[in-house]
Amino acid sequence: HSNRQFNVGLTSAVPGKAWSATADQSWVKLSPASGETPSNLQVVLDASHLSPGQHQATITLSDTSGPMLTLPVILTVEALN
């Protein structure tokens, strides 16, 4: 199984807003895990150790006051033939 990668653009009304990102599943890799707006969050979904089927995770974006946004992630892994 191959990795899937995508970028999430992070902006704010006032540039320089600090943020951090966490994922509740180890197969979701985030880079960088923190920064300031504007920036890009790279998300890599690593299916190499996942069994076939549907897998769910949540990415949480927070600022200094706490969680701001949650992003649901659903990854379907198909059996290799």
Side-chain angles (χ1 to χ4, degrees):
H1 297 104
S2 62
N3 292 345
R4 296 290 183 234
Q5 176 180 317
F6 57 95
N7 290 313
V8 177
L10 303 174
T11 61
S12 59
V14 178
K17 185 168 182 74
W19 59 268
S20 63
T22 58
D24 66 352
Q25 298 294 321
S26 62
W27 51 268
V28 179
K29 314 291 187 199
L30 306 173
S31 178
S34 62
E36 292 183 348
T37 59
S39 58
N40 285 308
L41 172 64
Q42 181 185 68
V43 179
V44 176
L45 306 180
D46 180 2
S48 62
H49 299 294
L50 296 177
S51 59
Q54 191 176 77
H55 301 270
Q56 297 184 18
T58 301
I59 297 171
T60 302
L61 295 172
S62 302
D63 66 5
T64 55
S65 64
M68 299 183 301
L69 175 70
T70 57
L71 302 171
V73 178
I74 299 173
L75 176 65
T76 300
V77 177
E78 295 182 1
L80 296 175
N81 293 327

XYZ file of all heavy atoms in Angstrom:
594
model
N 0.839 -1.179 0.000
C 0.000 0.000 0.000
C 0.883 1.241 0.000
O 1.877 1.298 0.707
C -0.907 0.010 1.226
C -1.858 -1.136 1.261
N -1.681 -2.226 2.093
C -2.974 -1.374 0.569
C -2.673 -3.071 1.909
N -3.474 -2.589 0.980
N 0.484 2.218 -0.768
C 1.285 3.434 -0.860
C 0.715 4.527 0.027
O -0.443 4.483 0.441
C 1.325 3.916 -2.312
O 0.026 4.229 -2.757
N 1.565 5.499 0.323
C 1.141 6.646 1.114
C 0.344 7.609 0.253
O 0.573 7.717 -0.952
C 2.357 7.382 1.679
C 3.103 6.583 2.709
O 2.598 5.601 3.232
N 4.309 6.995 3.008
N -0.567 8.313 0.871
C -1.303 9.397 0.225
C -0.903 10.683 0.933
O -0.843 10.728 2.158
C -2.816 9.197 0.336
C -3.297 7.961 -0.380
C -3.195 8.152 -1.883
N -3.715 7.010 -2.585
C -3.040 6.349 -3.489
N -1.824 6.685 -3.797
N -3.576 5.321 -4.101
N -0.629 11.712 0.143
C -0.161 12.973 0.707
C -0.987 14.118 0.167
O -1.364 14.132 -1.002
C 1.311 13.166 0.322
C 1.896 14.477 0.754
C 3.349 14.603 0.334
O 4.125 13.664 0.466
N 3.704 15.762 -0.175
N -1.279 15.093 1.044
C -1.931 16.311 0.596
C -1.546 17.447 1.523
O -0.994 17.227 2.604
C -3.459 16.147 0.501
C -4.129 15.726 1.779
C -4.673 16.665 2.629
C -4.231 14.384 2.126
C -5.293 16.275 3.807
C -4.852 13.986 3.294
C -5.378 14.940 4.132
N -1.785 18.669 1.074
C -1.457 19.860 1.850
C -2.723 20.601 2.222
O -3.667 20.676 1.432
C -0.536 20.793 1.061
C 0.849 20.217 0.892
O 1.438 19.727 1.841
N 1.364 20.261 -0.328
N -2.725 21.159 3.431
C -3.825 21.984 3.911
C -3.266 23.385 4.119
O -2.329 23.573 4.903
C -4.400 21.430 5.239
C -5.500 22.341 5.757
C -4.907 20.006 5.054
N -3.812 24.364 3.400
C -3.387 25.752 3.561
C -4.029 26.362 4.794
O -5.239 26.249 4.992
N -3.214 26.972 5.637
C -3.705 27.597 6.872
C -3.493 29.102 6.800
O -2.365 29.571 6.621
C -2.964 27.023 8.085
C -3.056 25.499 8.254
C -2.167 25.046 9.398
C -4.491 25.074 8.487
N -4.587 29.842 6.924
C -4.528 31.298 6.916
C -5.357 31.828 8.077
O -6.155 31.108 8.674
C -5.072 31.885 5.601
O -6.444 31.499 5.463
C -4.278 31.394 4.400
N -5.178 33.091 8.381
C -5.981 33.743 9.413
C -6.179 35.200 9.021
O -5.465 35.728 8.166
C -5.300 33.643 10.787
O -4.024 34.245 10.766
N -7.164 35.838 9.645
C -7.451 37.243 9.340
C -6.234 38.116 9.628
O -5.968 39.075 8.910
C -8.660 37.721 10.138
N -5.501 37.774 10.662
C -4.278 38.488 11.029
C -3.106 37.514 10.888
O -3.072 36.500 11.592
C -4.357 39.024 12.475
C -3.066 39.718 12.862
C -5.551 39.956 12.647
N -2.178 37.766 9.968
C -1.033 36.866 9.813
C -0.249 36.733 11.121
O -0.241 37.647 11.945
C -0.182 37.550 8.731
C -1.139 38.414 7.985
C -2.141 38.871 9.007
N 0.395 35.585 11.299
C 1.219 35.370 12.480
C 0.509 34.652 13.611
O 1.055 34.519 14.699
N -0.706 34.150 13.366
C -1.433 33.420 14.403
C -0.789 32.045 14.587
O -0.635 31.284 13.645
C -2.897 33.266 14.021
C -3.740 32.628 15.108
C -5.206 32.778 14.785
C -6.086 32.197 15.858
N -6.141 32.998 17.058
N -0.409 31.734 15.818
C 0.232 30.447 16.117
C -0.804 29.330 16.075
O -1.954 29.510 16.468
C 0.884 30.503 17.496
N -0.384 28.166 15.592
C -1.264 27.001 15.524
C -0.446 25.747 15.818
O 0.770 25.733 15.709
C -1.935 26.885 14.152
C -0.967 26.759 13.020
C -0.436 27.775 12.268
C -0.382 25.554 12.520
N 0.439 27.274 11.337
C 0.490 25.912 11.475
C -0.502 24.211 12.843
C 1.234 24.982 10.758
C 0.240 23.275 12.135
C 1.090 23.659 11.108
N -1.149 24.682 16.177
C -0.536 23.361 16.311
C -1.533 22.336 15.784
O -2.738 22.568 15.782
C -0.152 23.054 17.755
O -1.302 23.016 18.569
N -1.015 21.207 15.320
C -1.858 20.166 14.746
C -1.490 18.818 15.370
O -0.312 18.524 15.573
C -1.680 20.105 13.230
N -2.519 18.036 15.670
C -2.318 16.683 16.185
C -3.268 15.738 15.461
O -4.313 16.159 14.948
C -2.588 16.602 17.700
O -3.932 17.029 17.959
C -1.618 17.468 18.493
N -2.897 14.460 15.431
C -3.756 13.423 14.859
C -3.925 12.334 15.911
O -2.994 12.046 16.671
C -3.138 12.844 13.595
N -5.109 11.740 15.951
C -5.381 10.717 16.967
C -5.024 9.302 16.520
O -5.261 8.351 17.252
C -6.828 10.796 17.443
C -7.840 10.443 16.365
O -7.454 10.270 15.185
O -9.035 10.335 16.695
N -4.448 9.154 15.319
C -4.024 7.843 14.827
C -2.590 7.953 14.307
O -2.244 8.929 13.627
C -4.947 7.338 13.712
C -6.383 7.132 14.135
C -6.526 6.014 15.160
O -5.867 4.987 15.076
N -7.383 6.233 16.150
N -1.769 6.952 14.597
C -0.350 7.012 14.222
C -0.116 6.929 12.717
O 0.957 7.318 12.244
C 0.422 5.903 14.934
O -0.065 4.635 14.547
N -1.093 6.453 11.945
C -0.914 6.369 10.493
C -1.123 7.711 9.797
O -0.906 7.835 8.591
C -1.797 5.281 9.877
C -3.247 5.324 10.243
C -3.846 4.679 11.283
C -4.289 6.030 9.574
N -5.190 4.949 11.306
C -5.490 5.774 10.263
C -4.328 6.858 8.456
C -6.711 6.330 9.868
C -5.543 7.396 8.061
C -6.711 7.124 8.775
N -1.515 8.741 10.553
C -1.639 10.102 10.025
C -0.407 10.882 10.480
O -0.193 11.084 11.668
C -2.923 10.797 10.525
C -3.008 12.214 9.977
C -4.155 9.994 10.145
N 0.431 11.282 9.530
C 1.659 12.019 9.820
C 1.469 13.479 9.430
O 0.989 13.768 8.324
C 2.844 11.444 9.038
C 2.973 9.939 9.063
C 3.363 9.411 10.408
C 3.641 7.914 10.317
N 3.605 7.245 11.576
N 1.839 14.393 10.326
C 1.671 15.824 10.092
C 3.027 16.513 10.114
O 3.851 16.251 10.986
C 0.772 16.427 11.180
C -0.588 15.762 11.372
C -1.303 16.342 12.578
C -1.431 15.903 10.122
N 3.227 17.421 9.158
C 4.484 18.152 9.113
C 4.259 19.537 8.515
O 3.657 19.632 7.439
C 5.496 17.384 8.271
O 6.705 18.085 8.183
N 4.677 20.607 9.159
C 5.154 20.624 10.533
C 3.981 20.456 11.495
O 2.825 20.647 11.106
C 5.791 22.002 10.676
C 5.000 22.866 9.747
C 4.632 21.946 8.577
N 4.264 20.147 12.739
C 3.201 19.956 13.726
C 2.755 21.278 14.354
O 1.763 21.310 15.071
C 3.664 19.001 14.822
N 3.466 22.355 14.054
C 3.062 23.672 14.562
C 3.688 24.744 13.680
O 4.600 24.472 12.896
C 3.500 23.855 16.023
O 4.903 23.794 16.129
N 3.170 25.957 13.813
C 3.694 27.061 13.022
C 2.855 28.307 13.222
O 2.104 28.424 14.195
N 3.006 29.239 12.289
C 2.239 30.476 12.286
C 1.648 30.671 10.904
O 2.248 30.276 9.901
C 3.128 31.673 12.635
C 3.635 31.676 14.056
C 4.439 32.917 14.380
O 4.806 33.685 13.454
O 4.718 33.127 15.569
N 0.463 31.286 10.861
C -0.177 31.561 9.579
C 0.531 32.723 8.891
O 1.087 33.582 9.573
C -1.657 31.915 9.779
O -1.752 33.058 10.612
C -2.433 30.768 10.378
N 0.526 32.734 7.558
C 0.042 31.680 6.664
C 1.079 30.569 6.533
O 2.282 30.819 6.588
C -0.151 32.414 5.341
C 0.884 33.499 5.370
C 1.000 33.909 6.830
N 0.621 29.352 6.372
C 1.517 28.218 6.184
C 0.752 27.040 5.612
O -0.470 27.095 5.456
C 2.209 27.831 7.497
O 1.254 27.526 8.475
N 1.481 25.992 5.302
C 0.886 24.759 4.795
C 1.166 23.626 5.763
O 2.281 23.503 6.267
C 1.455 24.389 3.423
C 0.896 25.265 2.329
O -0.320 25.408 2.215
N 1.763 25.858 1.538
N 0.156 22.820 6.002
C 0.282 21.620 6.802
C 0.294 20.431 5.845
O -0.658 20.231 5.101
C -0.895 21.506 7.781
C -1.018 20.217 8.574
C 0.173 20.040 9.504
C -2.325 20.202 9.352
N 1.385 19.675 5.848
C 1.472 18.488 5.011
C 0.901 17.307 5.795
O 1.289 17.063 6.937
C 2.910 18.200 4.617
C 3.037 16.981 3.719
C 4.480 16.645 3.434
O 5.209 16.243 4.314
N 4.876 16.840 2.179
N -0.034 16.597 5.170
C -0.665 15.429 5.778
C -0.300 14.207 4.939
O -0.506 14.212 3.728
C -2.199 15.592 5.844
C -2.848 14.368 6.458
C -2.570 16.860 6.607
N 0.266 13.187 5.581
C 0.601 11.940 4.903
C -0.179 10.820 5.583
O -0.125 10.675 6.811
C 2.116 11.642 4.958
C 2.420 10.286 4.326
C 2.897 12.743 4.262
N -0.920 10.064 4.788
C -1.665 8.910 5.288
C -0.852 7.670 4.938
O -0.681 7.331 3.771
C -3.051 8.848 4.654
C -3.888 10.126 4.786
C -5.239 9.936 4.125
C -4.033 10.536 6.239
N -0.313 7.012 5.953
C 0.587 5.872 5.786
C -0.199 4.578 5.960
O -0.472 4.146 7.081
C 1.718 5.959 6.803
C 2.697 4.811 6.706
O 2.536 3.943 5.818
O 3.625 4.773 7.529
N -0.546 3.947 4.849
C -1.360 2.732 4.876
C -0.520 1.467 4.938
O -1.059 0.366 4.913
C -2.259 2.688 3.646
N 0.796 1.594 5.058
C 1.688 0.440 4.941
C 1.447 -0.637 5.998
O 1.744 -1.803 5.752
C 3.146 0.885 4.979
O 3.456 1.506 6.210
N 0.925 -0.286 7.158
C 0.701 -1.275 8.217
C -0.777 -1.457 8.550
O -1.109 -2.032 9.583
C 1.469 -0.886 9.483
C 2.955 -0.831 9.276
N 3.711 -1.941 8.993
C 3.812 0.214 9.267
C 4.975 -1.585 8.841
N 5.059 -0.282 8.992
N -1.649 -0.959 7.674
C -3.083 -1.053 7.936
C -3.680 -2.266 7.234
O -3.286 -2.605 6.119
C -3.809 0.211 7.462
C -3.433 1.503 8.169
C -4.186 2.679 7.542
C -3.715 1.421 9.653
N -4.635 -2.885 7.883
C -5.348 -4.008 7.270
C -6.389 -3.462 6.294
O -6.790 -2.298 6.380
C -6.020 -4.844 8.354
O -6.931 -4.036 9.085
N -6.832 -4.287 5.345
C -7.882 -3.843 4.421
C -9.136 -3.427 5.195
O -9.458 -4.001 6.239
C -8.143 -5.075 3.557
C -6.862 -5.839 3.597
C -6.346 -5.628 5.002
N -9.814 -2.417 4.676
C -11.033 -1.914 5.294
C -10.978 -0.406 5.454
O -10.073 0.260 4.955
N -11.958 0.120 6.157
C -12.062 1.558 6.362
C -11.448 1.933 7.707
O -11.716 1.295 8.728
C -13.526 1.997 6.313
C -13.685 3.505 6.262
C -15.137 3.895 6.116
O -15.881 3.848 7.081
N -15.534 4.274 4.909
N -10.624 2.985 7.690
C -9.943 3.471 8.888
C -10.286 4.944 9.062
O -10.337 5.697 8.092
C -8.428 3.284 8.748
C -8.050 1.851 8.536
N -7.778 1.000 9.566
C -7.936 1.124 7.389
C -7.486 -0.199 9.081
N -7.587 -0.152 7.757
N -10.507 5.346 10.319
C -10.887 6.728 10.601
C -9.908 7.367 11.557
O -9.347 6.704 12.434
C -12.294 6.774 11.197
C -13.352 6.271 10.245
C -14.759 6.409 10.803
O -14.999 7.155 11.733
N -15.686 5.675 10.229
N -9.713 8.671 11.384
C -8.850 9.457 12.255
C -9.406 10.870 12.326
O -10.278 11.254 11.536
C -7.417 9.474 11.725
N -8.875 11.640 13.269
C -9.238 13.047 13.390
C -7.972 13.875 13.536
O -7.101 13.548 14.343
C -10.144 13.287 14.616
O -11.331 12.492 14.470
C -10.540 14.743 14.742
N -7.880 14.928 12.737
C -6.811 15.918 12.871
C -7.414 17.100 13.611
O -8.484 17.597 13.235
C -6.283 16.363 11.498
C -5.665 15.172 10.759
C -5.285 17.505 11.643
C -5.317 15.463 9.311
N -6.741 17.547 14.665
C -7.217 18.694 15.441
C -6.240 19.843 15.285
O -5.042 19.681 15.527
C -7.362 18.332 16.933
O -8.274 17.237 17.060
C -7.887 19.516 17.736
N -6.765 20.994 14.863
C -5.975 22.220 14.776
C -6.324 23.087 15.975
O -7.499 23.323 16.260
C -6.283 22.972 13.483
C -5.895 22.256 12.199
C -6.417 23.014 10.988
C -4.390 22.109 12.121
N -5.292 23.539 16.676
C -5.486 24.332 17.886
C -4.681 25.621 17.800
O -3.695 25.703 17.065
C -5.027 23.546 19.125
O -5.726 22.332 19.230
N -5.111 26.614 18.584
C -4.305 27.812 18.784
C -4.008 27.905 20.280
O -4.258 26.957 21.022
C -4.988 29.059 18.221
C -6.268 29.451 18.952
O -6.610 28.824 19.973
O -6.920 30.397 18.489
N -3.514 29.035 20.735
C -3.126 29.167 22.136
C -4.308 29.072 23.094
O -4.128 28.765 24.267
C -2.385 30.493 22.365
O -3.211 31.571 21.896
C -1.057 30.503 21.622
N -5.524 29.281 22.597
C -6.709 29.202 23.470
C -7.358 27.822 23.459
O -8.292 27.583 24.209
C -7.733 30.271 23.077
O -8.210 30.043 21.775
N -6.877 26.906 22.606
C -7.434 25.559 22.572
C -7.821 25.135 21.171
O -7.495 25.806 20.191
N -8.538 24.003 21.050
C -8.933 23.487 19.736
C -9.788 24.487 18.954
O -10.669 25.131 19.515
C -9.736 22.233 20.068
C -9.280 21.832 21.427
C -8.949 23.121 22.135
N -9.478 24.622 17.653
C -10.226 25.518 16.777
C -11.051 24.751 15.762
O -12.121 25.182 15.377
C -9.275 26.432 15.989
C -8.417 27.341 16.797
S -7.414 28.414 15.728
C -6.466 27.246 14.767
N -10.512 23.614 15.291
C -11.106 22.932 14.153
C -10.696 21.466 14.178
O -9.561 21.151 14.509
C -10.584 23.580 12.859
C -10.965 22.974 11.521
C -12.440 23.196 11.246
C -10.136 23.587 10.411
N -11.640 20.593 13.836
C -11.300 19.185 13.669
C -11.592 18.783 12.229
O -12.587 19.207 11.650
C -12.076 18.275 14.642
O -13.475 18.465 14.453
C -11.710 18.565 16.084
N -10.689 17.988 11.682
C -10.829 17.492 10.315
C -10.957 15.980 10.358
O -10.012 15.294 10.764
C -9.598 17.870 9.486
C -9.271 19.349 9.371
C -7.911 19.541 8.721
C -10.341 20.055 8.573
N -12.095 15.434 9.950
C -12.219 13.980 9.909
C -11.437 13.415 8.724
O -11.373 14.026 7.656
C -13.717 13.751 9.739
C -14.213 14.997 9.082
C -13.321 16.111 9.552
N -10.824 12.264 8.935
C -10.069 11.581 7.890
C -10.628 10.165 7.778
O -10.743 9.463 8.778
C -8.566 11.518 8.235
C -7.799 10.757 7.158
C -7.994 12.908 8.445
N -10.978 9.770 6.567
C -11.429 8.401 6.312
C -10.558 7.844 5.194
O -10.468 8.433 4.122
C -12.916 8.355 5.914
C -13.784 8.903 7.043
C -13.327 6.929 5.552
C -15.242 9.063 6.680
N -9.907 6.722 5.473
C -9.025 6.081 4.512
C -9.511 4.651 4.298
O -9.648 3.899 5.248
C -7.583 6.079 5.032
C -6.551 5.360 4.177
C -6.385 6.054 2.829
C -5.225 5.288 4.914
N -9.763 4.318 3.053
C -10.165 2.959 2.719
C -8.981 2.235 2.110
O -8.408 2.703 1.118
C -11.345 2.960 1.729
O -12.455 3.648 2.348
C -11.774 1.536 1.389
N -8.602 1.125 2.719
C -7.487 0.312 2.241
C -8.083 -0.932 1.577
O -8.861 -1.659 2.197
C -6.573 -0.097 3.411
C -5.453 -1.014 2.917
C -6.011 1.135 4.104
N -7.719 -1.129 0.322
C -8.215 -2.296 -0.408
C -7.199 -3.431 -0.316
O -5.998 -3.204 -0.207
C -8.469 -1.923 -1.865
C -9.585 -0.894 -1.992
C -9.895 -0.541 -3.423
O -9.255 -1.100 -4.347
O -10.779 0.299 -3.626
N -7.682 -4.640 -0.345
C -6.827 -5.820 -0.287
C -5.956 -5.883 -1.533
O -6.400 -5.564 -2.636
C -7.662 -7.074 -0.161
N -4.700 -6.299 -1.345
C -3.817 -6.496 -2.489
C -4.129 -7.825 -3.139
O -4.376 -8.821 -2.459
C -2.364 -6.487 -2.024
C -1.862 -5.169 -1.438
C -0.454 -5.337 -0.897
C -1.893 -4.079 -2.484
N -4.138 -7.838 -4.448
C -4.429 -9.093 -5.180
C -3.159 -9.749 -5.642
O -2.204 -9.204 -5.920
C -5.354 -8.816 -6.373
C -6.721 -8.379 -5.903
O -7.190 -8.828 -4.861
N -7.347 -7.509 -6.676
